[in-house]
Amino acid sequence: FDQRGIGHSEPNMDCAELRVLQLDVLDEDLEYEDIAARELAAVDGCRRRLLDEGIDLTQYNSVTNAADVADLRVALGYEEWNLLGISYGTRLAQAVMRDHPEGVRSVILDSVYTPDVDLFASLPDNFARALDILFADCADDPVCDATYDNLETRLFALAERLDSSPLTTTVRDVFTNERYETVINEDVLLDTVFQGLYSHEVIPLLPQMVAELEADDTGILTLLLTNDLANGTFLSHGMYLSVQCNEEVSFSSEAAIRDAAEDQPRLRDLFVESTVGFLESCAEWGAGEAAAAANELITSDLPTLVMAGEYDPITPPEWGRRAADGLANSAFVEFPGVGHAASVAGDCPTSIALAFLDDPAAPLDTSCVATMRPPNFAVPGETAAAPIELVPFEEDVFGTVVAGLVPDGWERIGPGAWARQANFVDQTALVQQAGPGIGDPATSGALVASIFGFDDDAVAGGIVEAGERTWYLSEGTIDGFTADLALSTEGRVTGIVLLVTSPEERDELFTTVFRPILEAFSTS
C-alpha cells in the first residue's frame, strides 16, 4: 500500500524542488558546503509550498503511519494479516507491533531499522563494516584476488585521485530520456559503492567497477548512476524529512555525528557535512518531536522472522539481532553474500520467508543458508564466453505475428523484446518487432533510432540480403553501448531488429545472433 505522503496517497509529500537541485548540480564538482545553502533553500521552498497547501507536517511519522495500517486492516475487513517490512518498512512494522498489535498474525522484519539506533551517526561505521567484508571476500577468492589485488588500497587511491582530478560521464533520465553531464569525484565514487552494497546483484560488480575507473572507463558506474537517478523519482523527500526529523533527528546531535565519524576518517567527508546539513533542514522543517517511546527497542510476543544481509551497509545484521532480543517469539537469520532487502535476494531467503508465512509457528528450516556462498565476483570477458543457442519463437507483436529465432535463456521483457541479464549491468538486449510501413527503410533509420533512444544520429551501415528480405542497417550507441538496427519493408509491414551489446562483444554477437536472426525473421 502507498503510505501517507507517498505515491498515489493524497497529499503526496514529494519535493520537486530538491529533485530540480539534484539535476542542476550533476555537472558540478562540488563539496557539500558548496551546495548547502541551495539545498536549504530548496527544502524551505518545499516546506512553504506544502504548508500553503494546508498540510500539517507533524502528521507524517511512524506513529500516524502505523495508525493508518491498523485502520486499513479494518477498512478492508480482514480479521488478521501478516506484515512484511523492509528497511524503513521495519520501523513502521515495529510501530504497528507496539501500538496496534491486534489482528497481526505474523511479522517479517527484513533489514531492520530499530527505533533506538542513531542512524546518521552510525553511517560511517556501518559502511566501513560492509566494505571490510567486500575486501575480505575478494581477497579470499583466488580469481578476484588475482584480478583485483589490493582492492582496499586501490579503492581509496582511486577516491583520492578523483578528488583532485574528477572524471565525467553522461547519465540518462530513463523517464524523460534527458541526458545530464555528470561529474565523478570522490564522493560520487564512494556513494555509488555504498549504494551498490545494498544489492546482491551489484556487489559482484564493484571490484570490476574500481578497475574500470582506474583506466578512466566509466561504463559500470554510469549504469549504476542512471539506476540511482531513476530510483530517486520514487523517493518522497517531504515524507522522508517529516519522519526522520520527527523520530530520528530528535534523538541525535551534530556532536554525536561528528564524534562517530572520527573513527572512519576515509569516509568522514562523505557523510558528515551532508548529515549536519540535514539536521539544519530539520530545524526549519517543523515536523515536531517524537515521544521517548520512538527511541526505544520494542518488545512483543508476535511471531516474527528477522532477516539480515551480511553486506548490508546501512542496517547491519547486529541491528537485527538486537531487535530479535526483544521479541519473545522470533527467529533471526543472516544471509551471506547478501546486502539490503534479504527476503528478495535469492531462492534461499525467499523460500524461508514464504515458509514462515505459511506457518509462523512451525520450526524454521534454515538449512539452505549453509549452501549460500560469497559473491561470484565479475571478471571481464566472462560474459562474452557464455555460449548462445538460438531457438524458434513466434509472437503477436502489436497486432502483427513475428516469427524467427531468439537466444535461449534470454528473458522476455516486453512485446518482441528480450534481455540477456547476465548481471545487473548487462545491457545486452534484442528487439524484433513489426508494424505499419514507415516509408523507405533506406532513409528511415535515423527516425527509428531516435525512437529507441540512440545517443546520437544513427549512421548508415549498409545493405544485407538475408532470408527473403533486404535489410537496411544502421549503427550507433545507446547509453554508450553499441546498437545495430535493421529495417526491412515487405508490402505494408516494416520489420525492425535491434541488437544492443557492449563494444567488446559487438562483433561476436553481430555474427552469432544478429545475422542469423535477420535470416530467420518473418511476419504474417
Side-chain angles (χ1 to χ4, degrees):
F1 73 102
D2 281 353
Q3 300 160 30
R4 60 169 56 198
I6 70 172
H8 292 287
S9 290
E10 297 179 358
N12 184 299
M13 295 272 284
D14 190 22
C15 286
E17 297 84 352
L18 283 165
R19 177 69 171 181
V20 169
L21 176 61
Q22 177 193 16
L23 298 176
D24 282 348
V25 301
L26 287 175
D27 62 348
E28 301 182 43
D29 180 21
L30 300 172
E31 301 292 339
Y32 180 76
E33 295 91 329
D34 299 325
I35 64 169
R38 293 158 69 180
E39 186 165 285
L40 281 172
V43 169
D44 185 60
C46 180
R47 181 183 67 85
R48 290 176 180 273
R49 177 176 53 79
L50 295 176
L51 290 175
D52 287 345
E53 295 172 6
I55 297 173
D56 182 352
L57 301 179
T58 68
Q59 295 303 307
Y60 293 83
N61 51 64
S62 296
V63 170
T64 56
N65 215 353
D68 291 343
V69 175
D71 289 343
L72 182 60
R73 180 186 65 83
V74 175
L76 293 174
Y78 297 156
E79 291 187 9
E80 61 178 12
W81 60 4
N82 308 282
L83 303 182
L84 165 61
I86 300 175
S87 195
Y88 168 71
T90 68
R91 187 77 167 246
L92 175 56
Q94 290 170 90
V96 176
M97 296 167 75
R98 181 191 65 214
D99 299 341
H100 305 280
E102 58 279 358
V104 177
R105 173 177 176 266
S106 71
V107 183
I108 298 178
L109 302 177
D110 177 359
S111 307
V112 184
Y113 177 18
T114 58
D116 64 313
V117 298
D118 189 330
L119 176 69
F120 298 120
S122 300
L123 284 170
D125 279 347
N126 288 343
F127 185 18
R129 184 201 65 84
L131 281 176
D132 287 343
I133 296 171
L134 175 69
F135 300 145
D137 278 351
C138 184
D140 290 342
D141 182 322
V143 174
C144 188
D145 189 45
T147 309
Y148 313 111
D149 60 306
N150 298 314
L151 180 61
E152 178 177 3
T153 300
R154 291 169 65 176
L155 171 64
F156 288 105
L158 175 63
E160 186 175 345
R161 191 191 101 192
L162 293 175
D163 186 44
S164 57
S165 300
L167 298 172
T168 59
T169 189
T170 301
V171 175
R172 181 169 64 94
D173 184 331
V174 298
F175 300 108
T176 66
N177 216 31
E178 292 289 325
R179 288 173 167 79
Y180 299 90
E181 289 298 312
T182 302
V183 168
I184 303 170
N185 56 24
E186 177 183 25
D187 286 350
V188 171
L189 168 67
L190 293 178
D191 184 63
T192 303
V193 173
F194 178 74
Q195 299 295 333
L197 289 166
Y198 274 59
S199 170
H200 70 287
E201 295 177 311
V202 177
I203 291 167
L205 302 170
L206 294 177
Q208 183 178 346
M209 183 187 77
V210 171
E212 284 186 357
L213 289 168
E214 288 174 325
D216 296 343
D217 179 349
T218 62
I220 290 177
L221 180 65
T222 298
L223 289 171
L224 295 180
L225 290 176
T226 296
N227 186 65
D228 288 345
L229 191 66
N231 286 340
T233 65
F234 299 104
L235 174 65
S236 175
H237 292 91
M239 179 63 170
Y240 180 78
L241 279 159
S242 279
V243 169
Q244 298 291 55
C245 294
N246 176 274
E247 61 199 56
E248 189 62 52
V249 172
S250 295
F251 303 100
S252 187
S253 67
E254 179 178 344
I257 290 166
R258 292 192 183 279
D259 288 348
E262 289 304 311
D263 294 334
Q264 303 297 339
R266 296 184 298 186
L267 304 175
R268 179 179 55 230
D269 292 345
L270 177 64
F271 294 112
V272 171
E273 296 307 326
S274 60
T275 303
V276 170
F278 188 83
L279 267 61
E280 294 173 355
S281 296
C282 285
E284 301 297 327
W285 187 252
E289 294 187 2
N295 198 43
E296 298 172 357
L297 276 173
I298 70 160
T299 59
S300 173
D301 59 1
L302 289 171
T304 306
L305 170 61
V306 182
M307 309 180 77
E310 175 191 28
Y311 270 81
D312 193 331
I314 192 165
T315 57
E318 177 58 27
W319 289 7
R321 292 189 190 94
R322 289 172 54 237
D325 287 344
L327 303 174
N329 191 11
S330 68
F332 171 80
V333 188
E334 179 180 344
F335 298 92
V338 168
H340 207 59
S343 60
V344 292
D347 292 341
C348 177
T350 299
S351 67
I352 290 174
L354 292 174
F356 172 77
L357 291 174
D358 187 55
D359 187 354
L364 201 59
D365 180 3
T366 61
S367 58
C368 66
V369 176
T371 68
M372 297 180 69
R373 297 290 178 263
N376 181 22
F377 293 103
V379 174
E382 283 187 344
T383 299
I388 292 177
E389 178 183 355
L390 298 177
V391 295
F393 88 97
E394 182 175 295
E395 181 177 354
D396 186 325
V397 181
F398 305 122
T400 300
V401 176
V402 177
L405 299 173
V406 66
D408 189 26
W410 288 25
E411 182 173 346
R412 183 181 181 277
I413 56 174
W418 297 264
R420 182 173 61 183
Q421 298 182 337
N423 55 46
F424 184 78
V425 295
D426 183 11
Q427 299 295 295
T428 307
L430 172 68
V431 174
Q432 299 184 70
Q433 296 181 348
I438 58 173
D440 184 359
T443 59
S444 299
L447 170 63
V448 177
S450 67
I451 294 172
F452 279 109
F454 275 51
D455 296 335
D456 298 296
D457 291 339
V459 177
I463 302 174
V464 169
E465 300 292 336
E468 299 180 356
R469 288 176 171 264
T470 299
W471 293 93
Y472 294 84
L473 307 185
S474 301
E475 302 172 11
T477 61
I478 299 176
D479 293 338
F481 286 78
T482 302
D484 286 287
L485 176 67
L487 302 178
S488 175
T489 297
E490 295 287 335
R492 297 183 177 181
V493 177
T494 296
I496 301 172
V497 178
L498 173 69
L499 178 68
V500 180
T501 68
S502 68
E504 296 79 13
E505 290 188 271
R506 187 267 178 181
D507 290 345
E508 178 184 353
L509 294 182
F510 187 92
T511 300
T512 60
V513 174
F514 195 65
R515 284 299 301 268
I517 282 174
L518 298 185
E519 293 281 354
F521 186 94
S522 67
T523 61
S524 59

